Amino acid sequence: MLKLGVSRPTITAMALFMLAFAHQTVSAEPRASEFKLSNGMEVVVIPDHRAPVVTHMVWYKVGAADEPKGVSGIAHFLEHLMFKSTDKIAVGDFSKIISKLGGQDNAFTGQDVTAYHQRISKDQLKTLMEMEADRMTHLRLTNDEVATERQVIIEERRSRIDNNPGARLDEQMNAALYLSHPYGVPVIGWAHEMANLSREDALRFYKRYYAPNNAILVVAGDVTAEEVKRLAEETYGKIPANPEVETRARPQDPPHIVPRRLTLKDPRAGNASFHRYYVAPSYVTAKPGEAEALDLLMKILADGATSRLYRKLVVEDKLAATTGGDYSGYSLDSGAISLYAVSGNGDLKAVEADVDSVLDEIRTNGVTKLELERAKKSLLADYIYDSDNQANLARRYGWAVAIGRSIDQVEGWPAALSKVTADDVKKVADEYLDARRSVTGWLLPEPDDGKAAGEHVEKPVAHTRS
Amino acid sequence: MVAARPLRSTAWRVASRRMGIAASLATLAAAFVATFSPSANAMKIQTVKSPGGIEAWLVEEHAVPMMAMRFAFDGGSSQDPAGKEGVANFVTAMLDEGAGDLVSRDFQERMEDLSMRMNYEEAKDAFYGNFETLTANRDEAAKLLKLALTKPRFDQDAVERIRQQLLASLAYAARDPDKVAQNEWYAVAFAGHPYARPANGTEATVGKMTGADLESYRKRVFAKDTLKVVAVGDITPEQLGKLLDEVFGDLPDKAELAPVAKTNPVSGGRQTVVDMNVPQSVAVFGLGAMPRKDPDFMAAFVLNQILGGGGFASKLMEEVREKRGLAYSVYTYVYPFQHTSIFSGGVATRNDMMGQSLDIIRAELKKMADGDVSQTDLDNAKSYLIGSYPLRFDTNAKIASQLLGLRMDGFGPEYVDNRNAMVAAVTLDDLKRVAKRLLETQNLIVTIVGKPTLQQAKKG
């Protein structure tokens, strides 16, 4: 799960201080800087001078949830196709050029964002920016390239989803969690719609959303804001803004008024497991302090061997082999809570009842002061350790800004976290662990033929040729 | 804590252009550092010897008040006794389950209170530890680390709990085509050797494991003579010396390791199919490679970069994915173990295309073996390998991993300064000679999981 973060030395100093005095409020001393180019492109610079390298990212404020109906997967497909060619760069050369320069590159697509990123020696930064700026508006695609790459994303879907029982259930549960909102459609796309994605679909999406005034540049590493500003103006700054660029307008969910549940039978599921998702607010939609309280709630409830779920289901009642869960609050429209328990003996009914008893307890009686202080300390420590990594930092800032958070909000996160009280946690538990907002999923290791539980499980058989 | 995690709810919500190869290499991850290296300009590696005689490498970095320490003992899962397969892995999951007077819960809460990180993993040749602490809590955290290494409790209830988790992981892994293909490859390639054993054990061995088995493994393996330590961060040589004695000083002087024979993957070629009802087949392929200290190793490493090394620029990526759209992921790597060395790779493609994909891969290997590689290929690969080396040294944790890998392979700190020159020295003649020596495709061992169609397909 991606969370808010602030630049390393800043967060370290702040968080260390707060580990010692968690009740006090500390004001952030910003280290990242932010500015806008004249064409509207936002820029965030996070200096880190330990090694002569940079992480360069361009984020587009568009993701799978912005796809037209029936064209699922096009945001991600376009992300793949962005590596094809432009007037200046021949087919497939983008990554080869970067590799030759000693750099690494990749890209990813989420429901709300699409990001392209490279890590490279700092003296190559300008070349990289020229190349990334070039493909922002000069992408060229042929039907053949599109047809070949479409097979690649279909294989990607097989690897990530179809070959994986847990991912298949996740996809179905998400689809059931949202009633109207496109978060219910998988980022990679539904297989039957992916099969029909065309060059025209990709170019239409590209023209609609890819423009400097819908993009954010993030550079972390051995640079100064002044250097980046100069280079950005010489590259991205030359691209005219597109006044037609579309902003997001997504269908929103009506209130959720009934719990939903589903069961997936898959012979390859391993131990039977229980899963529960709830719709919750995100860092963008939550009332002040709610999202931070949800982070703390899920830390106390579901993270690790000291969590409530693990203590009750694994240690005390010995019903589950393991448990877990988290809060994903880093999205534009709504966040989600997820919980799971992998059964020890297959009795999912007992597992589910036990999970519900833990949830009832926390909704009714809240959390203890000690639990809360431990959870705060833990989350802050995670930040300190994770902020050792420049690429992590670029990702945190980029994701935050792409969903409309300000740098101040990003850097003020430790302070906001420290303000959360046990009452706040109880309140969000009571409000958002509401069955009506939920989908419950069972994953059973059984043949998918409608037969009852406990039957023969297909095991792989090895045979050798030659 | 080992968690059987069939479902991480957020993991599939982001799709990315390239799959992390690391995922496929999970079993190898701990030591994969050795083949790269080197650093960056200013990094200064000091050799520290504690008053008690324990050696470590240290990179001081006082900008941030925290430190990372990585350490390893020789003998990972290859020290699992026959019939006790999975014991090393079991131990990795038990070291935060209570030690000294602290039972499981007390120990874990103490770790949280100290904001420390401690975890373990085993590879075939070594048992790895990873420790991170804030400077303010360093002394207390070190005490806890010492307890874990010297007085783990292995309480019955904790053993049972972890057993359930390990069994759940095994049940899941038994149906994960990637994991099954990997395990099957080692089983075929190293039949009869400890490397062939399943590192996570089997339902039978994990089901029977006792606290005494765990303690016996710990006593044999955790010892000073094979210990290697690297520390990076906010600590001086004197402070590190004290910490080394505090944490490791009470361990036995000598490990009692069972001898592991040198070995090579079986020759003559093999192809195994494990039948599994999945829409996409997964294949692992590989053969023997030269040892880490062989004069040809660096050329093999460069060759691997050209053929299927990380990134989109490789020949296999080009032929299998970019030109034909047959797979999302196709890769190769060279991996030197302590008692053998392999060149290996993998591909995942829909069942009816597996035959064709493997044909293409074989053909590319063959072409390379026959010397069909250009000066430009070589220049591009060298340019990547040399230019990207500082990327491996930009966090404390990465520096510690890189350096520990070098120590494990028996190199000194000077390797870091010499490494790029070694890459640069590889010539086209070297490459062709080594390709011929390495890529004896008649010896290729292939394990496939799925329902593949394998008859010779028409080349596209």
Side-chain angles (χ1 to χ4, degrees), chain A residues 69-220:
Chain A
K69 247 193 171 342
V71 197
S72 65
I74 195 65
H76 170 250
F77 190 31
L78 172 62
E79 175 231 297
H80 276 236
L81 294 171
M82 286 287 283
F83 291 82
K84 292 304 176 193
S85 68
T86 68
D87 298 339
K88 289 181 187 153
I89 295 185
V91 178
D93 272 5
F94 193 91
S95 294
K96 285 179 193 146
I97 293 169
I98 289 170
S99 168
K100 215 161 120 181
L101 297 173
Q104 299 164 347
D105 73 322
N106 211 334
F108 62 85
T109 307
Q111 291 287 10
D112 299 318
V113 298
T114 310
Y116 299 82
H117 54 97
Q118 301 88 21
R119 302 184 64 241
I120 205 161
S121 159
K122 65 172 285 190
D123 47 352
Q124 303 293 349
L125 181 58
K126 184 169 183 193
T127 309
L128 215 61
M129 290 167 86
E130 281 167 350
M131 289 169 67
E132 194 65 78
D134 175 44
R135 70 174 168 174
M136 185 180 285
T137 49
H138 290 101
L139 182 64
R140 282 183 7 180
L141 294 175
T142 67
N143 282 324
D144 276 358
E145 289 156 20
V146 169
T148 308
E149 196 64 25
R150 191 168 51 225
Q151 286 180 256
V152 172
I153 57 165
I154 290 169
E155 289 303 328
E156 180 176 358
R157 193 191 143 84
R158 290 193 182 104
S159 289
R160 288 181 188 277
I161 315 278
D162 304 332
N163 260 18
N164 184 332
R168 292 178 64 215
L169 176 68
D170 173 72
E171 195 172 80
Q172 295 294 313
M173 286 180 68
N174 265 319
L177 187 61
Y178 299 96
L179 300 169
S180 183
H181 195 282
Y183 284 169
V185 178
V187 170
I188 196 146
W190 296 116
H192 67 289
E193 293 181 0
M194 291 169 75
N196 293 322
L197 295 177
S198 68
R199 175 176 176 271
E200 288 63 40
D201 293 329
L203 289 176
R204 203 174 301 127
F205 198 78
Y206 177 66
K207 290 195 176 115
R208 190 174 285 171
Y209 293 110
Y210 280 48
N213 43 325
N214 199 37
I216 302 149
L217 167 68
V218 178
V219 182

